[in-house]
Amino acid sequence: RVPRWIGIPQCPIKLRPITADDEEEWNEVRWRNDAWLHPWESGDPMHGSPMTYNQWMQQMRHNEQTGRGVVFAIEHHGRIVGQISLGAICYGAMRTGVVGYWVDERCAGRGYAPMAVTLLADWAMFDPSGPQLHRVEIDLLPENERSRKVALKVGASYEGMRKAYMFVNGQWRDHESYALLPEYAPNGFTARLMGE
């Protein structure tokens, strides 16, 4: 079950599911940041034309209902400042998922991305309402310095290079792989981040 929001009082951001009502605001933020986000844009090489917002909503709700993934808006003072997702969720013996995130260029450098990652990881690993994963993975392009700083700031461990791991900007690209495990922050990743 996806919570209505994820946050803690001392954290300036919160996460909440993206809804149909967010279409205008989400589109404004996402497309204003298109050039900023373009170098890191992943896509499905087998997928045809881009999805409409409505189609994307339907896919998100389906993924939530089947437990395969969830997408949250990153919100600051009631405004969308980015997005974070947990996808490729595996249960059973693996109990793992992959995190993806972006933040509005106007808000870059304020620590919102690391906070969003820790809030999501705490929900995914420790919260009884979450998928109770054992491992959350962050995969990034080697030249993506900002994303690497986020992974390191939240305490993810570098695990190596994944060859031709994800389809980005029209080609299969190698990615650096980082992981968070519950034992890295027994009292929670957000509490550890906010305490630093």
Side-chain angles (χ1 to χ4, degrees):
R1 196 174 56 80
V2 178
R4 288 184 324 170
W5 64 275
I6 301 169
I8 58 171
Q10 59 269 42
C11 190
I13 62 155
K14 71 177 185 178
L15 310 182
R16 64 164 180 80
I18 297 173
T19 69
D21 293 340
D22 292 319
E23 182 173 7
E24 189 176 320
E25 184 184 2
W26 184 91
N27 275 322
E28 190 280 321
V29 176
R30 174 60 187 84
W31 299 115
R32 178 169 39 79
N33 283 278
D34 196 43
W36 160 254
L37 299 172
H38 185 73
W40 328 114
E41 196 65 41
S42 60
D44 182 349
M46 307 305 282
H47 193 273
S49 57
M51 279 192 261
T52 65
Y53 188 88
N54 248 7
Q55 289 168 327
W56 183 52
M57 280 288 108
Q58 290 172 355
Q59 183 182 12
M60 278 198 290
R61 297 293 94 89
H62 177 73
N63 287 344
E64 289 167 8
Q65 289 161 5
T66 57
R68 292 197 325 230
V70 62
V71 180
F72 292 104
I74 303 170
E75 196 176 81
H76 180 256
H77 293 313
R79 301 296 300 169
I80 295 174
V81 295
Q83 176 184 300
I84 188 164
S85 62
L86 179 65
I89 296 175
C90 292
Y91 297 97
M94 287 182 70
R95 301 208 76 83
T96 187
V98 178
V99 176
Y101 47 83
W102 60 263
V103 171
D104 186 340
E105 186 176 11
R106 294 176 182 176
C107 301
R110 298 184 192 175
Y112 294 167
M115 287 179 226
V117 170
T118 61
L119 288 169
L120 183 68
D122 285 344
W123 171 74
M125 293 186 192
F126 302 119
D127 193 308
S129 76
Q132 299 184 26
L133 302 181
H134 172 69
R135 169 191 168 82
V136 169
E137 197 171 290
I138 300 169
D139 299 296
L140 54 99
L141 290 168
E143 66 270 26
N144 193 341
E145 291 289 339
R146 286 184 179 276
S147 204
R148 182 181 300 106
K149 284 179 182 171
V150 170
L152 295 173
K153 189 167 187 175
V154 301
S157 60
Y158 175 67
E159 295 193 324
M161 189 72 74
R162 293 186 147 200
K163 304 301 283 181
Y165 176 68
M166 199 179 298
F167 198 72
V168 179
N169 276 331
Q171 56 184 319
W172 290 100
R173 296 289 313 275
D174 296 351
H175 279 63
E176 292 180 10
S177 189
Y178 295 79
L180 291 170
L181 301 173
E183 51 264 35
Y184 295 173
N187 298 317
F189 291 98
T190 309
R192 187 177 72 178
L193 180 71
M194 301 303 281
E196 288 175 357

